[in-house]
Short mmCIF file of all heavy atoms in Angstrom, two decimals:
data_model
loop_
_atom_site.label_atom_id
_atom_site.label_comp_id
_atom_site.label_asym_id
_atom_site.label_seq_id
_atom_site.Cartn_x
_atom_site.Cartn_y
_atom_site.Cartn_z
N MET A 53 9.78 0.25 19.35
CA MET A 53 10.56 -0.99 19.49
C MET A 53 11.39 -1.26 18.25
O MET A 53 12.55 -1.68 18.33
CB MET A 53 9.61 -2.16 19.79
CG MET A 53 8.91 -2.06 21.13
SD MET A 53 7.99 -3.57 21.58
CE MET A 53 6.72 -3.59 20.32
N GLY A 54 10.80 -1.03 17.07
CA GLY A 54 11.53 -1.26 15.83
C GLY A 54 12.74 -0.36 15.69
O GLY A 54 13.81 -0.79 15.25
N ALA A 55 12.58 0.90 16.09
CA ALA A 55 13.69 1.84 16.01
C ALA A 55 14.83 1.43 16.93
O ALA A 55 16.01 1.50 16.56
CB ALA A 55 13.20 3.25 16.37
N LEU A 56 14.50 0.96 18.12
CA LEU A 56 15.53 0.54 19.07
C LEU A 56 16.24 -0.72 18.60
O LEU A 56 17.46 -0.85 18.75
CB LEU A 56 14.90 0.31 20.45
CG LEU A 56 14.43 1.59 21.14
CD1 LEU A 56 13.56 1.27 22.36
CD2 LEU A 56 15.64 2.42 21.58
N TYR A 57 15.49 -1.65 18.01
CA TYR A 57 16.11 -2.86 17.48
C TYR A 57 17.03 -2.51 16.31
O TYR A 57 18.15 -3.03 16.20
CB TYR A 57 15.03 -3.84 17.02
CG TYR A 57 15.58 -5.15 16.50
CD1 TYR A 57 15.94 -6.17 17.37
CD2 TYR A 57 15.76 -5.36 15.13
CE1 TYR A 57 16.45 -7.37 16.89
CE2 TYR A 57 16.27 -6.54 14.66
CZ TYR A 57 16.62 -7.55 15.54
OH TYR A 57 17.14 -8.72 15.06
N ALA A 58 16.55 -1.63 15.43
CA ALA A 58 17.36 -1.23 14.27
C ALA A 58 18.66 -0.55 14.72
O ALA A 58 19.72 -0.75 14.13
CB ALA A 58 16.57 -0.29 13.38
N GLU A 59 18.57 0.22 15.78
CA GLU A 59 19.75 0.94 16.27
C GLU A 59 20.74 0.01 16.96
O GLU A 59 21.94 0.00 16.64
CB GLU A 59 19.32 2.05 17.23
CG GLU A 59 20.49 2.81 17.85
CD GLU A 59 20.06 3.86 18.85
OE1 GLU A 59 18.84 4.06 19.04
OE2 GLU A 59 20.95 4.50 19.45
N HIS A 60 20.27 -0.78 17.90
CA HIS A 60 21.16 -1.53 18.77
C HIS A 60 21.56 -2.90 18.22
O HIS A 60 22.61 -3.44 18.62
CB HIS A 60 20.52 -1.69 20.15
CG HIS A 60 20.36 -0.39 20.88
ND1 HIS A 60 21.41 0.27 21.45
CD2 HIS A 60 19.25 0.36 21.11
CE1 HIS A 60 20.98 1.38 22.02
NE2 HIS A 60 19.67 1.47 21.82
N VAL A 61 20.77 -3.48 17.32
CA VAL A 61 21.10 -4.79 16.77
C VAL A 61 21.58 -4.68 15.32
O VAL A 61 22.56 -5.30 14.93
CB VAL A 61 19.91 -5.75 16.86
CG1 VAL A 61 20.26 -7.11 16.24
CG2 VAL A 61 19.49 -5.94 18.32
N LEU A 62 20.88 -3.86 14.52
CA LEU A 62 21.23 -3.72 13.11
C LEU A 62 22.27 -2.64 12.86
O LEU A 62 22.77 -2.50 11.74
CB LEU A 62 19.98 -3.45 12.27
CG LEU A 62 18.86 -4.49 12.37
CD1 LEU A 62 17.70 -4.10 11.47
CD2 LEU A 62 19.38 -5.88 12.00
N GLY A 63 22.57 -1.85 13.89
CA GLY A 63 23.60 -0.83 13.76
C GLY A 63 23.18 0.41 12.99
O GLY A 63 24.03 1.13 12.45
N LYS A 64 21.88 0.70 12.93
CA LYS A 64 21.38 1.88 12.23
C LYS A 64 21.42 3.09 13.18
O LYS A 64 20.75 3.10 14.21
CB LYS A 64 19.94 1.65 11.76
CG LYS A 64 19.75 0.43 10.88
CD LYS A 64 19.97 0.77 9.43
CE LYS A 64 19.55 -0.37 8.52
NZ LYS A 64 19.69 -0.04 7.09
N LYS A 65 22.18 4.09 12.83
CA LYS A 65 22.28 5.29 13.66
C LYS A 65 21.09 6.20 13.40
O LYS A 65 20.81 6.58 12.27
CB LYS A 65 23.58 6.04 13.36
CG LYS A 65 23.82 7.23 14.29
CD LYS A 65 25.16 7.89 13.99
CE LYS A 65 25.40 9.06 14.93
NZ LYS A 65 26.70 9.73 14.65
N ASN A 66 20.36 6.54 14.47
CA ASN A 66 19.16 7.38 14.37
C ASN A 66 18.24 6.90 13.26
O ASN A 66 17.93 7.64 12.32
CB ASN A 66 19.56 8.85 14.13
CG ASN A 66 18.39 9.80 14.35
OD1 ASN A 66 17.49 9.54 15.15
ND2 ASN A 66 18.41 10.92 13.64
N PRO A 67 17.76 5.66 13.34
CA PRO A 67 16.98 5.06 12.26
C PRO A 67 15.72 5.86 11.92
O PRO A 67 15.02 6.35 12.80
CB PRO A 67 16.63 3.67 12.79
CG PRO A 67 16.76 3.77 14.27
CD PRO A 67 17.86 4.76 14.51
N LYS A 68 15.46 5.96 10.62
CA LYS A 68 14.29 6.69 10.13
C LYS A 68 13.08 5.77 10.11
O LYS A 68 13.11 4.70 9.50
CB LYS A 68 14.58 7.22 8.73
CG LYS A 68 13.48 8.08 8.13
CD LYS A 68 13.88 8.55 6.73
CE LYS A 68 12.79 9.38 6.08
NZ LYS A 68 13.17 9.79 4.70
N VAL A 69 12.02 6.18 10.80
CA VAL A 69 10.81 5.37 10.94
C VAL A 69 9.70 5.92 10.05
O VAL A 69 9.44 7.13 10.04
CB VAL A 69 10.34 5.34 12.40
CG1 VAL A 69 9.06 4.51 12.54
CG2 VAL A 69 11.43 4.80 13.31
N GLY A 70 9.06 5.03 9.31
CA GLY A 70 7.93 5.44 8.47
C GLY A 70 6.67 4.65 8.79
O GLY A 70 6.74 3.52 9.28
N LEU A 71 5.53 5.25 8.49
CA LEU A 71 4.23 4.59 8.66
C LEU A 71 3.73 4.18 7.29
O LEU A 71 3.55 5.02 6.40
CB LEU A 71 3.24 5.55 9.32
CG LEU A 71 1.79 5.06 9.44
CD1 LEU A 71 1.69 3.86 10.36
CD2 LEU A 71 0.88 6.19 9.92
N LEU A 72 3.51 2.88 7.07
CA LEU A 72 3.07 2.39 5.77
C LEU A 72 1.68 2.94 5.44
O LEU A 72 0.74 2.81 6.22
CB LEU A 72 3.04 0.86 5.76
CG LEU A 72 2.82 0.21 4.40
CD1 LEU A 72 3.92 0.60 3.41
CD2 LEU A 72 2.76 -1.31 4.54
N ASN A 73 1.59 3.59 4.26
CA ASN A 73 0.34 4.26 3.89
C ASN A 73 0.21 4.29 2.37
O ASN A 73 1.11 3.85 1.65
CB ASN A 73 0.33 5.69 4.47
CG ASN A 73 -1.08 6.19 4.74
OD1 ASN A 73 -2.04 5.81 4.08
ND2 ASN A 73 -1.21 7.07 5.72
N ILE A 74 -0.90 4.82 1.88
CA ILE A 74 -1.16 4.86 0.45
C ILE A 74 -0.66 6.15 -0.19
O ILE A 74 -0.84 6.37 -1.39
CB ILE A 74 -2.66 4.69 0.15
CG1 ILE A 74 -3.48 5.78 0.85
CG2 ILE A 74 -3.13 3.30 0.59
CD1 ILE A 74 -4.95 5.77 0.49
N GLY A 75 -0.02 7.01 0.56
CA GLY A 75 0.53 8.25 0.05
C GLY A 75 1.41 8.92 1.08
O GLY A 75 1.38 8.58 2.27
N GLU A 76 2.21 9.87 0.65
CA GLU A 76 3.15 10.54 1.55
C GLU A 76 2.48 11.59 2.43
O GLU A 76 2.97 11.87 3.53
CB GLU A 76 4.25 11.23 0.74
CG GLU A 76 5.13 10.27 -0.06
CD GLU A 76 6.20 10.99 -0.84
OE1 GLU A 76 6.20 12.26 -0.82
OE2 GLU A 76 7.02 10.33 -1.48
N GLU A 77 1.38 12.18 1.96
CA GLU A 77 0.76 13.29 2.69
C GLU A 77 0.20 12.85 4.04
O GLU A 77 -0.32 11.75 4.18
CB GLU A 77 -0.36 13.91 1.84
CG GLU A 77 0.11 14.50 0.52
CD GLU A 77 0.21 13.47 -0.58
OE1 GLU A 77 -0.06 12.27 -0.31
OE2 GLU A 77 0.55 13.85 -1.72
N GLU A 78 0.27 13.74 4.99
CA GLU A 78 -0.21 13.45 6.34
C GLU A 78 -1.69 13.12 6.38
O GLU A 78 -2.16 12.36 7.24
CB GLU A 78 0.09 14.64 7.25
CG GLU A 78 -0.29 14.44 8.70
CD GLU A 78 0.13 15.61 9.59
OE1 GLU A 78 0.92 16.46 9.11
OE2 GLU A 78 -0.32 15.67 10.75
N THR A 79 -2.46 13.67 5.45
CA THR A 79 -3.91 13.47 5.45
C THR A 79 -4.34 12.18 4.74
O THR A 79 -5.53 11.87 4.68
CB THR A 79 -4.59 14.65 4.74
OG1 THR A 79 -4.04 14.80 3.42
CG2 THR A 79 -4.37 15.94 5.52
N LYS A 80 -3.40 11.41 4.19
CA LYS A 80 -3.72 10.19 3.47
C LYS A 80 -4.09 9.05 4.42
O LYS A 80 -3.70 9.04 5.59
CB LYS A 80 -2.54 9.76 2.61
CG LYS A 80 -2.28 10.63 1.40
CD LYS A 80 -3.26 10.32 0.28
CE LYS A 80 -2.87 11.06 -0.99
NZ LYS A 80 -3.73 10.72 -2.12
N GLY A 81 -4.80 8.05 3.88
CA GLY A 81 -5.03 6.82 4.62
C GLY A 81 -6.36 6.75 5.34
O GLY A 81 -7.17 7.68 5.31
N ASN A 82 -6.57 5.60 6.00
CA ASN A 82 -7.79 5.41 6.78
C ASN A 82 -7.64 6.05 8.16
O ASN A 82 -6.61 6.66 8.49
CB ASN A 82 -8.12 3.92 6.90
CG ASN A 82 -6.95 3.11 7.46
OD1 ASN A 82 -6.04 3.66 8.10
ND2 ASN A 82 -6.96 1.81 7.23
N GLU A 83 -8.66 5.90 8.99
CA GLU A 83 -8.62 6.54 10.31
C GLU A 83 -7.48 6.02 11.17
O GLU A 83 -6.86 6.76 11.92
CB GLU A 83 -9.97 6.35 11.02
CG GLU A 83 -11.10 7.15 10.42
CD GLU A 83 -10.79 8.64 10.37
OE1 GLU A 83 -10.33 9.19 11.39
OE2 GLU A 83 -10.99 9.25 9.30
N GLN A 84 -7.22 4.71 11.05
CA GLN A 84 -6.10 4.13 11.82
C GLN A 84 -4.79 4.81 11.47
O GLN A 84 -4.01 5.19 12.34
CB GLN A 84 -6.00 2.63 11.53
CG GLN A 84 -4.87 1.93 12.28
CD GLN A 84 -4.47 0.61 11.62
OE1 GLN A 84 -4.10 0.58 10.44
NE2 GLN A 84 -4.56 -0.48 12.37
N ALA A 85 -4.55 4.99 10.17
CA ALA A 85 -3.31 5.61 9.72
C ALA A 85 -3.21 7.06 10.16
O ALA A 85 -2.14 7.52 10.62
CB ALA A 85 -3.21 5.51 8.20
N LYS A 86 -4.29 7.81 10.04
CA LYS A 86 -4.28 9.23 10.42
C LYS A 86 -4.02 9.41 11.91
O LYS A 86 -3.25 10.27 12.34
CB LYS A 86 -5.60 9.89 10.03
CG LYS A 86 -5.83 9.97 8.52
CD LYS A 86 -7.22 10.52 8.21
CE LYS A 86 -7.49 10.51 6.72
NZ LYS A 86 -8.87 10.97 6.40
N GLU A 87 -4.69 8.58 12.72
CA GLU A 87 -4.49 8.68 14.17
C GLU A 87 -3.07 8.27 14.56
O GLU A 87 -2.45 8.89 15.43
CB GLU A 87 -5.51 7.79 14.90
CG GLU A 87 -6.95 8.29 14.82
CD GLU A 87 -7.90 7.36 15.57
OE1 GLU A 87 -7.47 6.76 16.58
OE2 GLU A 87 -9.06 7.23 15.14
N THR A 88 -2.56 7.23 13.90
CA THR A 88 -1.20 6.77 14.20
C THR A 88 -0.18 7.82 13.82
O THR A 88 0.79 8.06 14.55
CB THR A 88 -0.90 5.46 13.45
OG1 THR A 88 -1.88 4.47 13.79
CG2 THR A 88 0.48 4.94 13.81
N TYR A 89 -0.36 8.46 12.66
CA TYR A 89 0.55 9.50 12.22
C TYR A 89 0.64 10.61 13.26
O TYR A 89 1.74 11.07 13.61
CB TYR A 89 0.07 10.07 10.88
CG TYR A 89 1.05 10.99 10.20
CD1 TYR A 89 1.76 10.56 9.08
CD2 TYR A 89 1.29 12.29 10.66
CE1 TYR A 89 2.68 11.39 8.45
CE2 TYR A 89 2.18 13.13 10.04
CZ TYR A 89 2.88 12.68 8.93
OH TYR A 89 3.80 13.51 8.31
N ALA A 90 -0.52 11.04 13.75
CA ALA A 90 -0.54 12.14 14.72
C ALA A 90 0.22 11.78 15.99
O ALA A 90 0.90 12.62 16.59
CB ALA A 90 -1.98 12.50 15.06
N LEU A 91 0.13 10.52 16.40
CA LEU A 91 0.84 10.08 17.61
C LEU A 91 2.34 9.95 17.36
O LEU A 91 3.16 10.35 18.19
CB LEU A 91 0.27 8.74 18.08
CG LEU A 91 -1.18 8.75 18.58
CD1 LEU A 91 -1.67 7.32 18.82
CD2 LEU A 91 -1.30 9.57 19.87
N LEU A 92 2.70 9.39 16.21
CA LEU A 92 4.11 9.16 15.91
C LEU A 92 4.89 10.47 15.79
O LEU A 92 6.05 10.57 16.23
CB LEU A 92 4.26 8.36 14.62
CG LEU A 92 3.97 6.86 14.70
CD1 LEU A 92 3.92 6.24 13.31
CD2 LEU A 92 5.01 6.13 15.55
N LYS A 93 4.29 11.48 15.19
CA LYS A 93 5.04 12.71 14.96
C LYS A 93 5.30 13.48 16.26
O LYS A 93 6.14 14.39 16.28
CB LYS A 93 4.31 13.60 13.95
CG LYS A 93 3.08 14.31 14.46
CD LYS A 93 2.53 15.26 13.40
CE LYS A 93 1.36 16.07 13.92
NZ LYS A 93 0.86 17.03 12.89
N ASN A 94 4.60 13.12 17.33
CA ASN A 94 4.81 13.79 18.61
C ASN A 94 5.79 13.06 19.53
O ASN A 94 6.08 13.52 20.63
CB ASN A 94 3.47 13.96 19.34
CG ASN A 94 2.57 14.98 18.68
OD1 ASN A 94 3.05 16.00 18.18
ND2 ASN A 94 1.27 14.72 18.65
N LEU A 95 6.30 11.91 19.07
CA LEU A 95 7.26 11.17 19.88
C LEU A 95 8.60 11.88 19.92
O LEU A 95 9.02 12.51 18.95
CB LEU A 95 7.45 9.75 19.33
CG LEU A 95 6.26 8.79 19.38
CD1 LEU A 95 6.66 7.43 18.81
CD2 LEU A 95 5.74 8.63 20.80
N THR A 96 9.27 11.74 21.04
CA THR A 96 10.59 12.37 21.19
C THR A 96 11.73 11.36 21.12
O THR A 96 12.89 11.74 21.01
CB THR A 96 10.68 13.10 22.55
OG1 THR A 96 10.50 12.14 23.61
CG2 THR A 96 9.63 14.18 22.66
N THR A 97 11.40 10.07 21.16
CA THR A 97 12.44 9.03 21.23
C THR A 97 12.78 8.41 19.88
O THR A 97 13.69 7.60 19.79
CB THR A 97 12.01 7.91 22.19
OG1 THR A 97 10.75 7.37 21.76
CG2 THR A 97 11.88 8.42 23.61
N ILE A 98 12.04 8.76 18.80
CA ILE A 98 12.34 8.18 17.50
C ILE A 98 12.43 9.27 16.43
O ILE A 98 11.92 10.38 16.61
CB ILE A 98 11.29 7.13 17.06
CG1 ILE A 98 9.94 7.78 16.78
CG2 ILE A 98 11.17 6.02 18.09
CD1 ILE A 98 8.94 6.85 16.12
#
């Protein structure tokens, strides 16, 4: 939803989406962050 709002209302072309975490590495964070990362990287629409 955030990516679509950024694109269509804020005018961001192909907006870059990030997951707030305590480090850049994929293995960082708590279980919520790790599970979310795995789901986000498999999306085709963002």
